[in-house]
Amino acid sequence: MPHPISRLFTGRVSWCFFTCLAWGLSAVGAVGAETRPLLHPLYSSQAVLQQGKPLPIWGWTTPGAAVSVRIGKQSLAAVGGPDGRWQVVTAPFAVADAPLTLVVSGETSVTSTDLLVGEVWLCSGQSNMFWQMNAVDHAEAEMAGANIPGMRLFSVNEDSEPTPLEVPKAVIHQWTACIPQLVGNFSAVAYYFGRELQKRLGVPVGVISNPYGGTTAETWMSERALRDFGEFNDALDAIPAAAPSLSAGAFDAGASPALKNLRAIPTLAFNGMLAPLVGYPLAGVVWYQGESNADRPAQYRRLLPALIADWRARWRDPKLPFVIMQLAGHHAPHPEPLDDDNGWAALMEAQAQTARSVPYCGLACAYDQGDAENIHPKVKKEVGRRLVYPALALAYPDKSDKPDKAGKSEKGEKGEKALPAGGPLAVSAKREGHGVRVSFRDVGKGLEVHGGRVTSFAIAGVNHKLAWATATIEKDSVLVACDQVPEPVRVQFAFDNLPAGELYNSEGCPAVPFRMDVK
């Protein structure tokens, strides 16, 4: 059976996709480690450069050859190393009224024009991040309105490689302005996220999209990071023998017992799609992946933090903001409260636990946007909007009290920031009479109920048997009770494959599902 994402490439979608892919290939060339350009393609015309950080600029020339770099008012020089690689590091740039021009001169020369300084975000993951604008609801109208001068797009093509590349083999979009003619083949979630962020910040925003449909977390991690796990060593050891077929794009799934599924082979997406981007300064990362690891949630609780640490080490930025998009709801919900450490709900829980335990991480929820039958819900606009809240909290805390369109401050009466860092997050569960008082943070102006009443809370007593409970909502807390459980010791909310969307904050973000002991 073909991968579900292959259904996108039919009719108009196929024509548009391959037109843009051909355009990208003609601009960059099918480059790999053996055909390295004078200037890395991330520095092509119309790029967005991260403000406020030293900017490494690099490329390749003849070993020992001199290279001069001029950008803005800065002039720098470098010499090609033993492998031909050269690099300079500029002083940080601030957002400017006029675009910059970059000129690199050596044995040849290249000029990149119309460079903007702003915020650069990397959006990665699997097929729900890959899902393109030409396949969303109301695609024609959405694409027609995608004319955003302050937003630029860069998109890496799917690629599995046995060893790390220095330059991506192909891109769908080399840096380009966000215009209707090209946005159709760009990630919908990344586009909506970038659009909302640019609107909020009022500065140029560059979005790098590099998702790969059907991939597991381990294929996005380096060998060094995975060796510590042990369980991936057989596959890692088998990669060198399979390297010729992998490099030729002719992988034989039956050639090695340890290498069954190309999209699940450890390190391959890291090598082909992430390694070529390492070093380009970022404001943060958005990660939408987990569907292909849903059968291993316990392992994912270790994998995802390790992946984040791996990427931060590569960028040499231990505080690099990392926003996790929790999986959308999928499969049928259960009629009785779920108590299971395996499957879809447990994977969602692993994502939330990572966001809570790993510093400089945030979470956005989309369980209420899911579909029991379709693993690829088409509603991506709301997903992109929700991702902005944790991004603002992590990378731009001063923007969480930005005045609204009417010019009024969004701060509350006591001066607290009203914009939450995501959906309401349970911080404590305490006995109150025969019930449980669950307190939340990130409620904005207060908790809200959508759909009449909340039915997704359950509590358990000392016998650990869960029962549905009633919920009484106050501003930032919920009193949960059930006549069958007079002495609750455990409480949970929306822990299921496809929970109902019932409890939200004032910004329309749903409460984060949880399981918690009562104190």
Side-chain angles (χ1 to χ4, degrees):
M1 179 181 295
H3 189 268
I5 205 69
S6 66
R7 295 195 294 269
L8 294 177
F9 303 131
T10 58
R12 173 182 58 79
V13 174
S14 177
W15 177 88
C16 186
F17 174 82
F18 289 108
T19 297
C20 289
L21 178 58
W23 178 86
L25 285 170
S26 66
V28 176
V31 290
E34 67 282 356
T35 54
R36 300 173 298 182
L38 177 65
L39 179 64
H40 195 288
L42 280 168
Y43 294 93
S44 65
S45 293
Q46 297 191 305
V48 177
L49 311 176
Q50 178 60 41
Q51 68 169 320
K53 293 185 178 182
L55 184 67
I57 300 174
W58 73 94
W60 293 267
T61 186
T62 301
V67 175
S68 65
V69 176
R70 187 173 72 254
I71 178 170
K73 296 180 180 180
Q74 300 186 46
S75 296
L76 304 100
V79 175
D83 62 350
R85 190 180 189 277
W86 62 266
Q87 178 174 300
V88 299
V89 180
T90 75
F93 287 93
V95 175
D97 294 331
L100 298 174
T101 296
L102 168 64
V103 180
V104 178
S105 302
E107 296 177 315
T108 60
S109 64
V110 61
T111 299
S112 296
T113 61
D114 193 22
L115 306 178
L116 302 181
V117 179
E119 298 297 312
V120 182
W121 282 79
L122 173 64
C123 296
S124 191
Q126 58 178 113
S127 54
N128 271 306
M129 179 63 86
F130 178 90
W131 193 270
Q132 297 170 331
M133 284 295 294
N134 52 31
V136 301
D137 285 340
H138 314 295
E140 295 291 345
E142 291 293 321
M143 289 187 292
N147 193 348
I148 308 174
M151 183 172 163
R152 303 286 173 83
L153 314 176
F154 190 101
S155 186
V156 181
N157 196 28
E158 294 181 346
D159 190 18
S160 297
E161 293 292 334
T163 56
L165 298 183
E166 294 180 296
V167 180
K169 277 189 173 179
V171 298
I172 301 172
H173 299 89
Q174 187 169 331
W175 282 115
T176 180
C178 183
I179 57 176
Q181 296 90 327
L182 289 175
V183 77
N185 291 103
F186 196 73
S187 159
V189 169
Y191 163 75
Y192 286 122
F193 168 75
R195 185 182 75 172
E196 184 70 17
L197 190 65
Q198 199 277 329
K199 186 191 308 180
R200 294 267 187 177
L201 298 179
V203 301
V205 169
V207 183
I208 301 173
S209 170
N210 76 331
Y212 191 165
T215 49
T216 56
E218 58 267 26
T219 197
W220 287 99
M221 297 170 65
S222 69
E223 179 177 357
R224 182 188 305 170
L226 286 171
R227 283 291 183 185
D228 292 338
F229 281 79
E231 54 259 52
F232 300 107
N233 287 347
D234 287 347
L236 292 170
D237 292 341
I239 290 173
S245 65
L246 290 168
S247 298
F251 174 67
D252 180 3
S256 170
L259 306 177
K260 294 293 186 182
N261 177 358
L262 181 65
R263 300 167 192 259
I265 296 175
T267 75
L268 296 197
F270 174 92
N271 294 336
M273 299 178 66
L274 192 77
L277 309 179
V278 168
Y280 195 73
L282 304 173
V285 174
V286 175
W287 176 251
Y288 193 172
Q289 188 277 338
E291 297 92 337
S292 292
N293 288 87
D295 59 337
R296 294 174 282 145
Q299 185 188 62
Y300 201 77
R301 291 187 181 94
R302 297 183 293 130
L303 272 177
L304 185 52
L307 180 146
I308 295 168
D310 189 22
W311 289 24
R312 286 173 171 170
R314 299 292 164 174
W315 261 270
R316 299 182 181 180
D317 187 352
K319 297 181 180 180
L320 182 66
F322 208 97
V323 179
I324 300 164
M325 185 68 242
Q326 193 179 51
L327 295 186
H330 186 48
H331 306 299
H334 294 79
E336 298 299 326
L338 182 63
D339 185 14
D340 188 3
D341 292 329
N342 298 296
W344 201 264
L347 193 286
M348 293 166 64
E349 182 180 61
Q351 293 173 316
Q353 288 175 341
T354 299
R356 294 185 72 155
S357 62
V358 177
Y360 311 106
C361 281
L363 182 79
C365 296
Y367 55 84
D368 60 331
Q369 303 295 306
D371 188 304
E373 303 298 328
N374 189 352
I375 200 171
H376 300 123
K378 292 184 178 182
V379 183
K380 304 299 186 188
K381 182 188 296 187
E382 179 64 8
V383 172
R385 185 191 75 84
R386 292 177 185 178
L387 282 165
V388 169
Y389 291 96
L392 288 173
L394 289 169
Y396 319 101
D398 59 320
K399 297 295 183 180
S400 359
D401 57 3
K402 185 178 179 180
D404 61 20
K405 293 181 180 179
K408 299 177 181 178
S409 173
E410 293 179 344
K411 287 185 176 181
E413 294 180 0
K414 297 180 181 179
E416 71 273 11
K417 292 178 179 178
L419 283 185
L425 181 66
V427 293
S428 66
K430 299 180 179 179
R431 283 281 299 274
E432 186 171 311
H434 293 296
V436 180
R437 174 74 63 181
V438 181
S439 297
F440 292 83
R441 75 179 195 208
D442 296 325
V443 300
K445 296 179 177 66
L447 293 171
E448 297 180 356
V449 178
H450 294 187
R453 64 193 184 98
V454 178
T455 62
S456 297
F457 278 96
I459 56 177
V462 291
N463 63 357
H464 303 294
K465 182 175 176 58
L466 287 161
W468 293 120
T470 60
T472 304
I473 313 301
E474 297 185 2
K475 183 177 180 181
D476 60 357
S477 69
V478 180
L479 182 61
V480 183
C482 175
D483 291 340
Q484 299 170 262
V485 187
E487 298 182 2
V489 299
R490 185 82 169 162
V491 60
Q492 66 185 46
F493 168 77
F495 184 79
D496 205 344
N497 297 330
L498 185 60
E502 301 169 333
L503 188 62
Y504 293 76
N505 59 27
S506 58
E507 293 293 319
C509 296
V512 179
F514 69 88
R515 296 189 288 180
M516 185 179 293
D517 290 331
V518 177
K519 296 184 178 180

